[in-house]
Amino acid sequence: MGNDKTEILDLVREYHRNKAASGFVPGVTPVLPSGAVLDEEDRVALVEAALDLRIAAGPSSRKLERALAKYFGLRKAHLTNSGSSANLLALSALTSPLLEDSRLVPGDEVVTVAAGFPTTVNPILQNGLVPVFTDIELGTYNPRPERIEQAIGPRTRAIMVAHALGNPFAVEEIAQIAEDHGLFLIEDNCDALGSTYNGRLTGTFGDLATESFYPAHHITMGEGGVVLTDNLALARIVESMRDWGRDCWCEPGEDNRCFKRFEQQMGTLPTGYDHKYIFSHVGYNLKSTDIQAALGLQQFSRIDEFGKARRHNWARLREGLDGLPHLILPEATPGSDPSWFGFAITVGPGAPFSPGALIDHLEYSRVNTRRFFAGNLTRHPAYAGREFRVSGPLTNSDITTERTFWIGVYPGLTDEMIDHSIATVSEFVTLPH
């Protein structure tokens, strides 16, 4: 073999084709709840970045950030090493001293929901803020706007909510509530890339929004995420906090873009202290790498294709399971067009079988399941002794904890796999119990 890159990449394509998966065997081949859909060009993108030794953030990272900002119609996108880090940065940005009187300070409250994934809530606690937990609705698994508004108190300063399983919450109405009360709004859009509400992409209503590019999500970088905003001041804070908290905005390996590297004075530092080593925030190192971004760029070109497949699989499940007794099936939020992350099923309280029995039957038939993430987070040991406030009863959050799970709709599933999922649920539910 020669050392020409084109020849190497052609061999990578050949290798990928030789690794093609075998056919589906019902009850033997697992029907996964989620997963990355990777083709030969994804493999080539990774290998090419590796051949070029692009091991830190570089041209692919900047290109993907620009592509994501353009897709959402927002000014700025900052890649991160995970969606969890994106959530941490988005919330932490609101505590920046640069926001002066608008900044969040310890003891301020952030309204969120009790039923979901911890990374929407953990940044609130990690910044010394107080989560205010509200309930969700069965079927949409999102909060009603009036629940959010009822949760607002004298110290409430922000709202941070995730679009559940790709199903948009009533984000236009909640954004209006935030504006009316002078609150920040963060959209956790990690499960909902490509979803729309009233014809507008989710992730574009809030002051900040986040995406995750973990393999389970709509597109993948392996590990990765992004913070999105149309607010240039917030974008600058996010960038600083992502990059160790430094004040300098030069790219890695770049020096003196501002032509004032040795001319500034900040804090009590001496005049002319190297601006590359002046820190204006208590920050982190949450950057991604160019190898990850190369994969993300290739995946980005398939957003619409993947969203179409998710909608198709969800609709096939919804039609196939419609009318079965004892099950609460999911519903799209009115006015929305979700790019679904998963298909939620709640076993009704009066069912003659337990949720665990149905889950066991599905798992035995190789239809993999997942619970509705953490369910009611206030019931987990991690939050025992933590300061939080609960607004109203968490009845539906408890029901999802005890009776809700979801199955897959991701683009790697075929019609045959979806039909096996339908048949497996139907078989169990219609049996005498």
Side-chain angles (χ1 to χ4, degrees), residues 241-423:
M241 287 188 166
R242 181 195 66 176
D243 299 0
W244 304 283
R246 67 179 187 161
D247 196 76
C248 177
W249 55 83
C250 289
E251 297 285 349
E254 181 184 48
D255 291 338
N256 208 19
R257 187 172 9 142
C258 65
F259 301 107
K260 295 181 180 180
R261 179 179 169 188
F262 300 107
E263 299 176 20
Q264 304 192 53
Q265 195 284 317
M266 296 183 183
T268 59
L269 293 166
T271 300
Y273 197 87
D274 188 346
H275 189 223
K276 288 179 72 69
Y277 293 98
I278 295 177
F279 297 88
S280 52
H281 292 97
V282 177
Y284 312 91
N285 178 9
L286 301 177
K287 299 186 301 299
S288 62
T289 69
D290 231 41
I291 291 177
Q292 292 170 289
L295 174 59
L297 266 174
Q298 182 58 38
Q299 287 268 299
F300 175 80
S301 67
R302 303 177 71 187
I303 286 179
D304 292 342
E305 170 196 339
F306 288 159
K308 182 179 179 181
R310 287 176 176 276
R311 290 177 172 94
H312 169 82
N313 289 340
W314 188 92
R316 193 176 184 94
L317 276 170
R318 188 63 177 77
E319 182 179 1
L321 298 176
D322 193 45
L324 286 177
H326 313 303
L327 301 182
I328 300 171
L329 299 182
E331 299 284 352
T333 302
S336 73
D337 181 16
S339 181
W340 295 96
F341 183 74
F343 189 94
I345 297 173
T346 298
V347 176
F353 52 86
S354 69
L358 175 53
I359 289 170
D360 286 346
H361 180 74
L362 285 161
E363 293 283 348
Y364 179 80
S365 299
R366 303 306 303 279
V367 178
N368 293 167
T369 64
R370 294 289 185 269
R371 284 289 190 168
F372 188 74
F373 304 118
N376 185 345
L377 284 161
T378 68
R379 297 172 62 173
H380 286 257
Y383 304 98
R386 295 283 190 167
E387 184 180 1
F388 58 81
R389 181 163 66 83
V390 174
S391 175
L394 300 179
T395 304
N396 292 332
S397 299
D398 284 332
I399 290 172
T400 61
T401 307
E402 294 160 8
R403 310 191 73 83
T404 303
F405 64 94
W406 57 273
I407 57 177
V409 298
Y410 84 103
L413 301 181
T414 63
D415 283 353
E416 191 178 8
M417 292 174 173
I418 295 295
D419 290 345
H420 176 61
S421 298
I422 293 168

Side-chain angles (χ1 to χ4, degrees), residues 13-188:
R13 291 185 177 91
E14 182 181 344
Y15 173 83
H16 184 92
R17 293 170 196 145
N18 291 337
K19 296 281 288 185
S22 56
F24 174 66
V25 180
V28 176
T29 309
V31 181
L32 300 175
S34 61
V37 178
L38 302 168
D39 64 14
E40 64 183 68
E41 295 307 319
D42 293 312
R43 195 183 294 269
V44 166
L46 282 171
V47 172
E48 184 173 19
L51 289 173
D52 292 341
L53 290 177
R54 300 205 307 269
I55 57 175
S60 289
S61 300
R62 292 189 289 273
K63 188 174 180 181
L64 181 55
E65 286 175 335
R66 290 193 296 269
L68 287 163
K70 183 178 180 181
Y71 174 79
F72 284 97
L74 300 173
R75 292 181 180 180
K76 287 291 183 178
H78 286 98
L79 289 178
T80 64
N81 58 5
S82 72
S84 304
S85 294
N87 278 351
L88 176 60
L89 283 171
L91 197 283
S92 298
L94 302 182
T95 70
S96 169
L98 298 181
L99 297 179
E100 299 179 339
D101 291 343
S102 297
R103 69 182 292 202
L104 275 61
V105 298
D108 284 343
E109 294 180 341
V110 181
V111 176
T112 188
V113 296
F117 201 71
T119 56
T120 309
V121 173
N122 290 352
I124 302 170
L125 294 167
Q126 288 160 342
N127 278 282
L129 307 169
V130 179
V132 180
F133 291 113
T134 60
D135 207 7
I136 58 170
E137 297 302 297
L138 298 179
T140 67
Y141 302 95
N142 283 309
R144 293 202 312 265
E146 55 267 33
R147 289 190 191 275
I148 295 292
E149 189 157 33
Q150 290 164 4
I152 295 170
R155 291 212 63 176
T156 304
R157 301 296 309 284
I159 301 167
M160 186 173 184
V161 180
H163 298 286
L165 289 174
N167 194 17
F169 60 84
V171 63
E172 187 173 292
E173 291 84 350
I174 289 174
Q176 187 62 55
I177 290 169
E179 183 178 344
D180 292 345
H181 291 270
L183 310 178
F184 291 106
L185 173 62
I186 299 175
E187 286 181 77
D188 181 337

